[in-house]
Amino acid sequence: MNNRYAPGEEIWGLEVSLDVHGCNDRIDNAEALKEYVIELCSLIKMKRYGPCYVERFGAPGTALEGLSMFQFIETSCISGHFSPSTRSAYINVFSCSDFDPEAVKKFTEKFFGAHDSRILVNPRK
């Protein structure tokens, strides 16, 4: 990373938070979430470190039940929380290596068939 987000602004890394809505059934499929991580890491040139962890959390049959995902990468991590009841995904990518937040957004929307999303890009100092 060039450690610059804007002229004169030194940063440690970049955090991207996505709220993705109108998702397809992939958000409730552990193998699909692992595939998402592999493809995303390839796209943004991040090296995965160890396995992708996917676990189901929340009281069964409630709106809070869904999968959570975590992937270490050599330069930090990727995490996600997925709600089948609201067809939403909440994904974070943090790295001290350079990557394109818009590429993450477009890929994520396409992979999960989302009809809209909100992105927050946070340079970490």
Side-chain angles (χ1 to χ4, degrees):
M1 174 172 256
N2 64 12
N3 291 336
R4 291 191 181 282
Y5 185 71
E9 184 178 20
E10 296 290 329
I11 66 168
W12 174 254
L14 197 60
E15 178 182 36
V16 171
S17 299
L18 288 171
D19 298 346
V20 188
H21 305 103
C23 297
N24 58 32
D25 291 338
R26 285 178 155 180
I27 64 168
D28 201 34
N29 180 311
E31 292 308 310
L33 298 183
K34 292 175 184 179
E35 177 186 336
Y36 165 78
V37 166
I38 290 169
E39 292 181 23
L40 177 63
C41 286
S42 179
L43 175 71
I44 62 174
K45 297 178 178 33
M46 298 295 165
K47 186 173 180 184
R48 291 176 290 119
Y49 183 84
C52 179
Y53 298 96
V54 180
E55 297 289 338
R56 185 166 300 279
F57 288 97
T62 69
L64 297 178
E65 180 185 14
L67 295 173
S68 290
M69 170 273 297
F70 188 86
Q71 174 67 61
F72 286 103
I73 56 176
E74 282 191 342
T75 54
S76 201
C77 66
I78 299 170
S79 64
H81 307 284
F82 304 87
S83 173
S85 67
T86 61
R87 303 185 65 79
S88 301
Y90 305 92
I91 297 168
N92 288 59
V93 179
F94 176 65
S95 179
C96 56
S97 290
D98 199 15
F99 68 97
D100 180 359
E102 278 300 313
V104 172
K105 179 181 180 220
K106 288 177 184 175
F107 172 76
T108 301
E109 288 174 336
K110 183 176 178 182
F111 189 91
F112 293 114
H115 64 69
D116 69 76
S117 67
R118 182 177 149 253
I119 186 170
L120 177 63
V121 179
N122 183 25
R124 304 298 299 267
K125 297 179 183 183

